[in-house]
Amino acid sequence: MRVIPTLVVALLAALLLGPVVPASAVPAPLSRASAGLLVEAGTARSGEDAPIGVLLTDPSGLPVAGVSVLVERRVGGVWQPLASLVTDAAGRAGTVLRMGPVRDDNVVRASYAGDATTPPTVTADAQVELVRRAARLTLTGPSRVVDEREMALVVRWRADDGTPVAGEVRLQQRRRGGWRTLGRPVTDATGTATVRLRPRTDAVLRVSAPALDWVEATRSARKRIDNVPPVAPVRLSRAAPRPRRHLPPQERARGAGAAPVVTGIPDAAWRGMVGRSWHAGCPVGRDGLRLLRVNYVDFSGYRRRGELVVAAGAVGQFVGALTELHDRRIPIRSMYRVDRFGWSGRLRGADDLASMASDNTSAFNCRDVVGRPGVRSPHSYGRALDLNPWENPYRVGGSWLPNGWWPSRSHPRVAWRSAAHPVVSILRRHGFSWTYGVSDAHHFDARTTGGRVVARCSGVCH
């Protein structure tokens, strides 16, 4: 191997790397120098003064004393005079910069016009670094809101010295272990923003803010909002049995009032019905049925949206009755399509026993009469309504279904044992018959034009 002489290596290094500069000659990180003029800047928080120093030397490195140096500040991209300084015997002069909240506005430079021994010179731009202030973010307002009503929350963003902070923040809600952003309100020059919400559930909220040039990132404390029902909940005796099967609450109401919507049977709903509430041999087909979506008040006092499948010829009566029940705030426990409960070989239709045990209000169900195999139920025609069956049982074979506690008891809102009860009166007003009275208190039939009830059996035909 050929050895390159040490001197040659040194010469190559000098050519490639340039001269070696002693560490002591390197300016501080916040300093910029050009042709003998050096500007040095300290740090400070917004609203505070940062020290600015200049050092002027001639080409030989000696200080230049008693001359004027101009220091400028850049604001909005435009250079403006900050101070005209006179150097001392050491070639130094100093001033202060009142720090602003925008980082790009805290940039300075210095310039010297020159003289016989020192040429004119201007420093490179020197960034005066902002030290971020701590900030505080608050979210205030009512802790309770009535469901479907609007509430106002106030966001306040302040720096630790009380200065308002203007900017975009994130309003967030706790969801499934994480935080979901609901909106991005913007605080104004007073550091304030008002947020209007209609929360439909209990909620845990907070506001978070990003770091700005002059303030640190922060977030508010959590605020809990209690959503309360618009209608008084049903109060039952402690001794009253609860439905044997629990159904999840249906979706919250849509629109004002009952907001009934009638359509044909959608494909998805029909697929759920076939083999459960409808099967070959039923006296009415898909074309003769309608899907009714309607708002109702549940036992907890919230407005929900339910579904019934009904006969096309009776849909107007159902709409009228359910609209008045809603408007009179008559509670209904739930209103799911009965096919939700699956097929019952015993009833040869959807499982009405399970529906009753869940206190579910339903209509069309092509099945046999409960307790009378082979006898077709009036529900097979889509003109019968079962309303709150748990509190209004059905007598069959000397027993009561779905429970034996309620038949001897009534309730002013949800259980009726007399034709004078408001629920029976409302249904009658819209063309329904309380066909079997207290023997099948939850069952109502929509009368035909001639006033007859469509039924194909004798006795109680639930």
Side-chain angles (χ1 to χ4, degrees), residues 309-352:
V309 174
V310 302
V315 70
Q317 293 163 262
F318 278 87
V319 167
L322 291 169
T323 295
E324 186 170 353
L325 289 173
H326 171 276
D327 294 347
R328 294 276 298 274
R329 301 299 192 250
I330 301 296
I332 296 173
R333 175 95 63 177
S334 65
M335 196 187 298
Y336 286 99
R337 297 197 320 268
V338 74
D339 51 274
R340 176 188 182 91
F341 300 92
W343 169 261
S344 168
R346 177 180 175 184
L347 299 177
R348 296 194 303 164
D351 193 345
D352 184 63

Side-chain angles (χ1 to χ4, degrees), residues 250-331:
Q250 290 180 278
E251 66 173 317
R252 292 291 175 86
R254 299 180 185 178
V261 174
V262 178
T263 66
I265 307 299
D267 289 344
W270 184 247
R271 287 194 295 270
M273 292 168 60
V274 173
R276 296 176 181 86
S277 60
W278 187 93
H279 51 86
C282 290
V284 60
R286 183 176 183 178
D287 291 344
L289 297 171
R290 297 292 183 267
L291 179 64
L292 169 59
R293 296 183 176 94
V294 64
N295 296 335
Y296 67 93
V297 176
D298 73 3
F299 277 33
S300 65
Y302 287 98
R303 296 196 320 130
R304 304 282 179 183
R305 192 148 185 88
E307 290 186 341
L308 292 177
V309 174
V310 302
V315 70
Q317 293 163 262
F318 278 87
V319 167
L322 291 169
T323 295
E324 186 170 353
L325 289 173
H326 171 276
D327 294 347
R328 294 276 298 274
R329 301 299 192 250
I330 301 296

Side-chain angles (χ1 to χ4, degrees), residues 80-166:
Q80 300 178 358
L82 176 65
S84 181
L85 308 176
V86 177
T87 59
D88 61 13
R92 294 183 178 276
T95 187
V96 293
L97 175 71
R98 179 58 56 90
M99 299 292 281
V102 179
R103 184 177 187 274
D104 288 346
D105 289 345
N106 298 311
V107 176
V108 298
R109 70 181 182 184
S111 60
Y112 173 56
D115 57 32
T117 61
T118 305
T121 183
V122 179
T123 65
D125 300 350
Q127 178 71 59
V128 186
E129 293 297 337
L130 267 171
V131 177
R132 288 190 173 104
R133 286 185 175 276
R136 183 166 181 258
L137 200 57
T138 60
L139 181 64
T140 59
S143 297
R144 296 172 75 251
V145 62
V146 176
D147 188 49
E148 300 185 79
R149 294 187 186 175
E150 185 177 81
M151 68 182 303
L153 297 173
V154 177
V155 179
R156 289 187 176 86
W157 193 4
R158 299 284 189 275
D160 58 7
D161 65 345
T163 303
V165 183

Side-chain angles (χ1 to χ4, degrees), residues 175-430:
R175 292 277 183 87
R176 297 177 182 176
W179 291 93
R180 174 190 173 192
T181 298
L182 301 179
R184 295 178 180 271
V186 177
T187 58
D188 59 18
T190 69
T192 305
T194 299
V195 181
R196 299 190 180 279
L197 297 176
R198 291 179 180 268
R200 300 304 305 272
T201 61
D202 293 345
V204 177
L205 305 176
R206 75 178 186 188
V207 183
S208 64
L212 301 182
D213 287 352
W214 66 289
V215 290
E216 298 173 348
T218 186
R219 61 172 176 253
S220 71
R222 299 182 182 188
K223 181 168 184 59
R224 298 184 182 277
I225 306 296
D226 182 18
N227 176 283
V228 298
V231 179
V234 174
R235 296 188 180 279
L236 300 175
S237 166
R238 290 185 179 181
R242 299 313 189 247
R244 287 192 295 273
R245 297 182 56 157
H246 175 73
L247 291 175
Q250 290 180 278
E251 66 173 317
R252 292 291 175 86
R254 299 180 185 178
V261 174
V262 178
T263 66
I265 307 299
D267 289 344
W270 184 247
R271 287 194 295 270
M273 292 168 60
V274 173
R276 296 176 181 86
S277 60
W278 187 93
H279 51 86
C282 290
V284 60
R286 183 176 183 178
D287 291 344
L289 297 171
R290 297 292 183 267
L291 179 64
L292 169 59
R293 296 183 176 94
V294 64
N295 296 335
Y296 67 93
V297 176
D298 73 3
F299 277 33
S300 65
Y302 287 98
R303 296 196 320 130
R304 304 282 179 183
R305 192 148 185 88
E307 290 186 341
L308 292 177
V309 174
V310 302
V315 70
Q317 293 163 262
F318 278 87
V319 167
L322 291 169
T323 295
E324 186 170 353
L325 289 173
H326 171 276
D327 294 347
R328 294 276 298 274
R329 301 299 192 250
I330 301 296
I332 296 173
R333 175 95 63 177
S334 65
M335 196 187 298
Y336 286 99
R337 297 197 320 268
V338 74
D339 51 274
R340 176 188 182 91
F341 300 92
W343 169 261
S344 168
R346 177 180 175 184
L347 299 177
R348 296 194 303 164
D351 193 345
D352 184 63
L353 295 171
S355 180
M356 285 193 293
S358 304
D359 203 12
N360 184 59
T361 292
S362 64
F364 173 76
N365 186 4
C366 185
R367 61 169 174 82
D368 290 349
V369 172
V370 175
R372 301 177 67 180
V375 179
R376 179 167 284 163
S377 167
H379 287 275
S380 301
Y381 301 87
R383 302 183 68 91
L385 173 68
D386 284 351
L387 182 62
N388 288 347
W390 183 261
E391 292 78 21
N392 300 278
Y394 160 59
R395 185 174 179 81
V396 56
S399 299
W400 291 94
L401 294 176
N403 70 80
W405 190 89
W406 272 104
S408 60
R409 297 168 175 86
S410 63
H411 188 280
R413 300 175 71 193
V414 301
W416 39 93
R417 303 295 174 261
S418 164
H421 193 282
V423 169
V424 180
S425 299
I426 290 170
L427 269 293
R428 281 183 167 173
R429 189 155 47 246
H430 292 279

